[in-house]
Amino acid sequence: MIENKKLLVSDFRKQGYLQELNRQFLHPLGLALEVLSYEDGHEEFGSIYDYRTDESGIVFDLINSDNARINDFISKANNIKREKKRIQKNRKKLYKYQIEPIKNKINNQINSSI
C-alpha cells in the first residue's frame, strides 16, 4: 500500500516548487499562489492572487534584482529541473508519458481546437 506522504509548505517553498509553480505556470496566466510565513516558523498556503485582467500580469522582476536573489532563483530552478528529470524517467518507463494526456474516449485524440 502506498503511504500518503505530505510535504511541508516551508519545504515546498524552500526547495523551489512554489517559485517554479508561480514562474512557469501561474504567473503566465496572471495568477500567483501566496505562502504565509509566521514568526514561529510555521508556513501555510495563503491566497491565489488574480491579475488575469491586468495587462502587466505578474513577474518576479528578476531583471532588477540583486545577485543574491537571482542566485537563489537559479538554485531553486535547477533543483526543480533535476527533480523533474529524475521523476520523468520513472514516469515514462511506467506510463509512457510524463504529463498525463487527456484523450477523448470516442476518437482517442486530444481536442486541439484551442
Side-chain angles (χ1 to χ4, degrees), residues 79-93:
N79 182 56
I80 299 306
K81 185 185 253 185
R82 280 189 303 274
E83 276 296 288
K84 197 172 181 180
K85 187 175 183 178
R86 180 183 67 81
I87 292 169
Q88 176 180 351
K89 183 179 179 182
N90 293 332
R91 286 183 64 86
K92 283 187 175 181
K93 187 187 297 182

Side-chain angles (χ1 to χ4, degrees), residues 2 16 33 37 39 50 71 82 99 104 107-108 113:
I2 297 174
L33 175 60
S37 299
E39 288 182 17
D50 186 350
N71 288 336
R82 280 189 303 274
I99 297 172
N104 182 316
N107 60 16
N108 204 30
S113 62

Side-chain angles (χ1 to χ4, degrees), residues 5-18:
K5 297 180 180 182
K6 295 183 180 181
L7 180 63
L8 294 173
V9 174
S10 59
D11 291 334
F12 184 83
R13 180 188 56 75
K14 290 174 188 173
Q15 293 173 21
Y17 292 99
L18 176 68

Side-chain angles (χ1 to χ4, degrees), residues 48-69:
I48 295 176
Y49 289 91
D50 186 350
Y51 290 86
R52 290 176 294 169
T53 60
D54 182 345
E55 289 183 10
S56 62
I58 303 170
V59 294
F60 285 114
D61 195 27
L62 295 172
I63 196 80
N64 293 311
S65 295
D66 62 26
N67 285 337
R69 183 169 187 245

Side-chain angles (χ1 to χ4, degrees), residues 16-29:
Y17 292 99
L18 176 68
Q19 170 192 298
E20 292 303 286
L21 174 63
N22 277 323
R23 188 178 72 85
Q24 292 187 39
F25 184 74
L26 294 175
H27 285 186
L29 294 171

